[in-house]
Amino acid sequence: MATQLYADSKAPVSALSAKLHFEKLTETEKLYAHYFSKAAHYGTRIVLRQVSPASEQVFDLILTFYRAVTASSPGTPIADILTAAPFSLSEEDSTYLLEYFSQFLSNLGNYKSFGDVKFIPRISSTSFAAAIAATGDEGLKTAFNVVEAAIYDTEPSASALLGYPESGHVTGYYPLSSSGDVIAKSDIEAIHDAIGGIYLPENTRVVKESSSKFVLLVASSVEEPTVVDGEKLVFAVPGISESATVTVKFGDHGREMGLIADALAKAAEYAANPTQKAMLDAYVTSFKQGSMQAHKMSQRQWVKDIGPAIETNIGFIETYRDPAGIRGEWEGLIAMVNKERTKTFGALVNGAQKYIGMLPWSKEFEKDVFTPPDFTSLEVMTFAGSGIPAGINIPNYDDIRQTIGFKNVSLGNVLSAKSPNEKVPFVKESELELYEKLRGPAFEVQVGIHELLGHGSGKLLSETAPGVFNFAKSAPPVSPIDGKPVTTYYKPGQTWGSVFGTTAGSYEECRAECVAMYLATEKSLLEIFGHTETSTEAGVADDVTYIAYLLMARAGLVALEYWDPESKKWGQPHMQARFSIFKQFLEYGDRSFVKLTHGDGETFDDLEIELDRTKILSHGRAAVGEYLQKLHIYKSSGDVDKGKQLYAETTSVPAELAKFRDVVLRKKMPRRQFVQCNTVLLAAGEIEYREYDETPEGMIKSFVDRDV
């Protein structure tokens, strides 16, 4: 177990640079971006607390150690200091220590943001402790003693995964009280039902104080808010017991929420228009008062702020890492628009209705009116959170998406990041040159379709109010799956997330990925991205489609890294989705579209993916289309029983595929780490854009400089 959990070695470290785009901003725009970036990073400690109980303490240990080690030798590389007296670490141990620090900071915790699996240092605890002792700092020695077990322990094995604490997994969303009572999954569900949506869960945590007393912690800078989403502060929880109650308590992450609100209030002074000002005012109210209704108001304004020079978003957004799938992780985005690439996405938006009309269902399962969203290519300056995606489609609030709209963004400098001589296991040698050339362009096409036409498609058949329906209740839409009218729909107050629960996140990612695969064969769509039958420089259309399908097949195979054979638990929703699509490729028809080839050895070290590009339309697209149709209809009609059953079946790992997990682990490539800039307000009122080396030390120094 320990060797499987070692921190990455020689992970690629890239600068997330947007300096050229930042320098083109006006002074007012630079100040707006600066204060917004400060607000985003002020949430760093919130993420640490959400990941695991020990993460914030380890974070402080890392930064304090770096300051102590470098204080007397500013400008000297820390690796040189650590290999000299009094530290006297070997070069290997010095490297291992800095690599652990860098990976920890990149993930904002001691669990991988992509996979939810713990990682531990390759340096021994004895050598780590000796390096701490060599600083001569007694406080550091005490701090290390407190967190040493949390850093290194790999038993019980369940503790190596994030998840429900009653199963032995780890989470920061349900912190232990002084009583040590462990909250149960059934407790969490009963509390959610009892509160009934009066207080939305995204900005909350729950503490079990006793068998009948629970506390709902709400993130806010004030403990007694004047703007509240509900009048009640104490709720009976009959789903637990007759005497059980949950009390709402404000002020969670109080210091950080205050800093965030103050920084956003400063950003509001430099807002470009009244819509941005209204958005920021709503943010400030939300983070001061703990009001998620105010956050929803901010998102309504955000969707209406079309084509800003600086794109932003902030809050408790994605719910993937909460084992219950309802509480959001803190994140903040600040980026500049890449106008040239945005033209491409604008053309995709203009054709959106046409391409959505090609999907395998009738118009009754689509929104009555399609409102073209904003879709921009961004150069990211700041992405505060545990991991950086390649594209985003938000807000996640269903009612806003259905009635006002949403935005899509493609994160260009994330997509384009690449290291020389990266190995690509499981791709045939004969395909590597084409794969290397076109995986970037193919992935850009995939992300564009996924975000706009994947997440942007679909209607939830709903009873929007008692007796009021957004479809013909007397003549319901006919399901293309069985040719019969649908019999299920969303009841008043129900949402996609509340009905499908923890399945919803990965299921929706799978649906969006299927849309991307289904439409990646459309020549007119590929032409939008510059891929035609003759575009040899940008990539011939058929080649781009082929590599897109090969990318998905490979992603599905390497997804086995994120599946735990003991618990049968998936640790990463996107990879769970890609694995299920890979299974469709393998199992469709005569099973001739995608095959896994290998020799007779038991190690499978020569395992390769063989994808027949002549069967992309007849088998690949057909397989995806059939699967996509079911995913979509079950989601649209709220058929949770069939939807969950389908997804459980398609994401189960049969023995004939589970046997390849060991070789996937042996050949896994370290995940890229991004070093982000800091902006500094100088005495003259100018903003300095400060970048850092693409090294583990550059990563550490960037966090030291921004820590407050």
Side-chain angles (χ1 to χ4, degrees):
M1 173 65 78
T3 56
Q4 289 185 9
L5 298 180
Y6 277 149
D8 290 339
S9 182
K10 300 178 181 177
V13 180
S14 299
L16 193 67
S17 180
K19 187 173 184 178
L20 293 176
H21 293 269
F22 182 82
E23 289 179 343
K24 293 178 182 178
L25 299 176
T26 66
E27 291 305 311
T28 297
E29 289 169 343
K30 288 178 181 178
L31 286 162
Y32 180 79
H34 165 72
Y35 284 111
F36 223 117
S37 177
K38 298 284 282 186
H41 283 307
Y42 284 146
T44 293
R45 290 179 179 274
I46 298 174
V47 180
L48 291 161
R49 292 172 201 144
Q50 291 176 318
V51 172
S52 72
S55 285
E56 188 175 13
Q57 293 169 299
V58 178
F59 177 80
D60 285 330
L61 178 77
I62 292 170
L63 301 196
T64 305
F65 177 79
Y66 181 83
R67 293 185 182 109
V69 170
T70 59
S72 60
S73 304
T76 303
I78 189 173
D80 292 347
I81 301 174
L82 291 175
T83 53
F87 299 96
S88 302
L89 291 179
S90 67
E91 286 189 13
E92 183 178 66
D93 276 349
S94 172
T95 298
Y96 285 163
L97 185 63
L98 297 178
E99 285 179 337
Y100 176 75
F101 288 174
S102 183
Q103 186 170 356
F104 181 97
L105 296 172
S106 179
N107 289 271
L108 286 188
N110 58 338
Y111 287 75
K112 294 179 180 180
S113 62
F114 201 83
D116 292 347
V117 178
K118 186 176 182 178
F119 56 93
I120 64 174
R122 290 175 180 265
I123 185 176
S124 70
S125 59
T126 303
S127 296
F128 195 162
I132 294 288
T135 65
D137 187 323
E138 291 300 318
L140 260 178
K141 290 169 65 175
T142 301
F144 179 76
N145 291 337
V146 169
V147 297
E148 181 181 3
I151 291 173
Y152 281 97
D153 281 355
T154 60
E155 296 293 340
S157 59
S159 68
L161 297 172
L162 296 181
Y164 285 109
E166 68 175 333
S167 300
H169 300 310
V170 172
T171 180
Y173 288 99
Y174 306 97
L176 286 176
S177 68
S178 57
S179 69
D181 285 343
V182 175
I183 196 167
K185 177 182 178 182
S186 58
D187 296 335
I188 297 167
E189 293 170 346
I191 289 168
H192 186 58
D193 291 342
I195 292 173
I198 295 175
Y199 295 95
L200 296 179
E202 284 86 348
N203 66 340
T204 67
R205 298 191 292 171
V206 182
V207 176
K208 182 176 184 177
E209 293 194 329
S210 71
S211 61
S212 61
K213 289 187 178 181
F214 299 82
V215 178
L216 183 77
L217 301 175
V218 180
S220 66
S221 67
V222 300
E223 295 183 3
E224 296 182 1
T226 56
V227 177
V228 292
D229 294 342
E231 295 181 2
K232 289 178 64 175
L233 293 178
V234 181
F235 294 81
V237 191
I240 296 176
S241 70
E242 290 184 4
S243 61
T245 61
V246 57
T247 301
V248 180
K249 182 179 180 181
F250 292 87
D252 198 22
H253 313 301
R255 174 178 175 271
E256 290 75 25
M257 299 308 289
L259 291 169
I260 291 163
D262 289 346
L264 291 174
K266 287 293 293 183
E269 297 176 15
Y270 305 99
N273 54 58
T275 302
Q276 282 186 4
K277 179 66 166 60
M279 173 188 76
L280 282 154
D281 289 346
Y283 276 139
V284 171
T285 298
S286 176
F287 301 144
K288 279 188 175 180
Q289 307 289 335
S291 168
M292 286 305 296
Q293 293 301 328
H295 192 265
K296 289 183 73 172
M297 180 57 68
S298 76
Q299 299 305 278
R300 292 186 182 96
Q301 299 299 324
W302 179 71
V303 172
K304 295 174 183 176
D305 186 27
I306 302 297
I310 304 166
E311 188 58 276
T312 60
N313 203 271
I314 196 167
F316 297 88
I317 309 298
E318 302 295 351
T319 60
Y320 300 124
R321 305 190 83 189
D322 169 26
I326 57 176
R327 295 183 161 81
E329 185 174 84
W330 175 264
E331 67 180 49
L333 163 72
I334 297 87
M336 279 63 74
V337 175
N338 183 324
K339 295 180 181 178
E340 190 61 36
R341 293 307 296 158
T342 295
K343 289 179 183 177
T344 297
F345 292 114
L348 185 62
V349 169
N350 292 337
Q353 281 187 284
K354 167 187 169 183
Y355 295 117
I356 288 175
M358 295 177 179
L359 297 172
W361 51 79
S362 63
K363 63 181 182 180
E364 287 81 9
F365 295 96
E366 276 302 329
K367 299 180 183 74
D368 299 330
V369 178
F370 179 81
T371 304
D374 203 18
F375 198 164
T376 51
S377 177
L378 302 178
E379 301 298 312
V380 179
M381 182 180 100
T382 297
F383 198 101
S386 64
I388 306 175
I392 307 172
N393 177 286
I394 46 179
N396 291 329
Y397 303 118
D398 287 330
D399 54 340
I400 297 177
R401 295 176 64 84
Q402 296 281 327
T403 59
I404 299 177
F406 53 89
K407 283 187 183 182
N408 299 273
V409 297
S410 173
L411 307 185
N413 52 345
V414 176
L415 278 168
S416 62
K418 186 179 178 183
S419 298
N421 304 316
E422 285 185 77
K423 295 180 180 178
V424 187
F426 313 119
V427 174
K428 294 172 69 173
E429 184 74 29
S430 60
E431 307 301 307
L432 274 175
E433 184 178 352
L434 186 65
Y435 185 91
E436 289 286 0
K437 176 184 177 182
L438 294 182
R439 65 172 171 173
F443 191 51
E444 183 183 42
V445 171
Q446 179 187 330
V447 169
I449 302 173
H450 174 113
E451 299 296 347
L452 175 64
L453 307 175
H455 291 315
S457 62
K459 175 181 182 178
L460 302 182
L461 303 178
S462 306
E463 184 179 5
T464 56
V468 180
F469 299 85
N470 67 355
F471 65 99
K473 179 67 166 61
S474 58
V478 174
S479 167
I481 300 170
D482 59 12
K484 299 177 182 179
V486 299
T487 58
T488 54
Y489 53 88
Y490 294 86
K491 307 299 189 296
Q494 290 184 333
T495 65
W496 154 244
S498 70
V499 172
F500 277 71
T502 53
T503 303
S506 182
Y507 187 111
E508 172 59 11
E509 293 303 331
C510 185
R511 194 186 69 86
E513 291 282 47
C514 284
V515 171
M517 289 293 97
Y518 192 78
L519 293 176
T521 61
E522 291 297 329
K523 297 294 176 63
S524 62
L525 192 155
L526 291 167
E527 189 173 352
I528 291 173
F529 288 86
H531 308 301
T532 66
E533 294 304 313
T534 58
S535 55
T536 53
E537 188 64 31
V540 174
D542 285 344
D543 286 346
V544 172
T545 296
Y546 169 56
I547 296 303
Y549 271 78
L550 186 56
L551 273 169
M552 182 59 70
R554 183 179 178 277
L557 174 61
V558 301
L560 288 169
E561 174 191 344
Y562 303 96
W563 173 73
D564 177 52
E566 185 174 328
S567 66
K568 311 297 183 188
K569 180 179 183 292
W570 281 98
Q572 215 296 321
H574 296 79
M575 299 309 282
Q576 180 182 9
R578 290 162 186 161
F579 173 80
S580 77
I581 297 171
F582 175 54
K583 271 183 71 178
Q584 308 312 302
F585 289 171
L586 288 170
E587 297 174 356
Y588 186 78
D590 58 3
R591 294 176 175 250
S592 62
F593 175 51
V594 171
K595 298 177 183 178
L596 294 175
T597 63
H598 55 82
D600 296 329
E602 296 182 0
T603 62
F604 307 115
D605 281 330
D606 58 350
L607 183 67
E608 289 183 336
I609 298 165
E610 189 174 283
L611 189 151
D612 188 342
R613 64 182 293 167
T614 68
K615 296 180 178 179
I616 288 176
L617 286 176
S618 63
H619 289 62
R621 188 175 190 266
V624 165
E626 290 181 15
Y627 185 35
L628 170 60
Q629 186 181 80
K630 292 176 182 177
L631 290 168
H632 183 81
I633 298 303
Y634 296 152
K635 177 191 175 182
S636 183
S637 61
D639 195 338
V640 63
D641 293 337
K642 289 181 180 176
K644 282 189 170 183
Q645 180 182 355
L646 170 71
Y647 205 57
E649 291 171 354
T650 58
T651 61
S652 65
V653 181
E656 62 264 28
L657 292 178
K659 67 184 180 183
F660 298 127
R661 186 171 185 269
D662 285 345
V663 70
V664 166
L665 290 174
R666 285 198 304 276
K667 294 192 173 188
K668 70 177 182 178
M669 304 304 295
R671 190 161 177 81
R672 183 178 308 282
Q673 300 170 14
F674 287 100
V675 181
Q676 300 185 41
C677 77
N678 286 312
T679 54
V680 180
L681 180 61
L682 303 178
E686 297 177 346
I687 300 293
E688 176 191 347
Y689 188 102
R690 186 175 296 171
E691 294 190 301
Y692 299 85
D693 292 339
E694 295 174 305
T695 62
E697 181 169 10
M699 177 75 75
I700 301 164
K701 194 168 189 318
S702 72
F703 275 89
V704 168
D705 285 356
R706 74 172 65 105
D707 184 47
V708 292

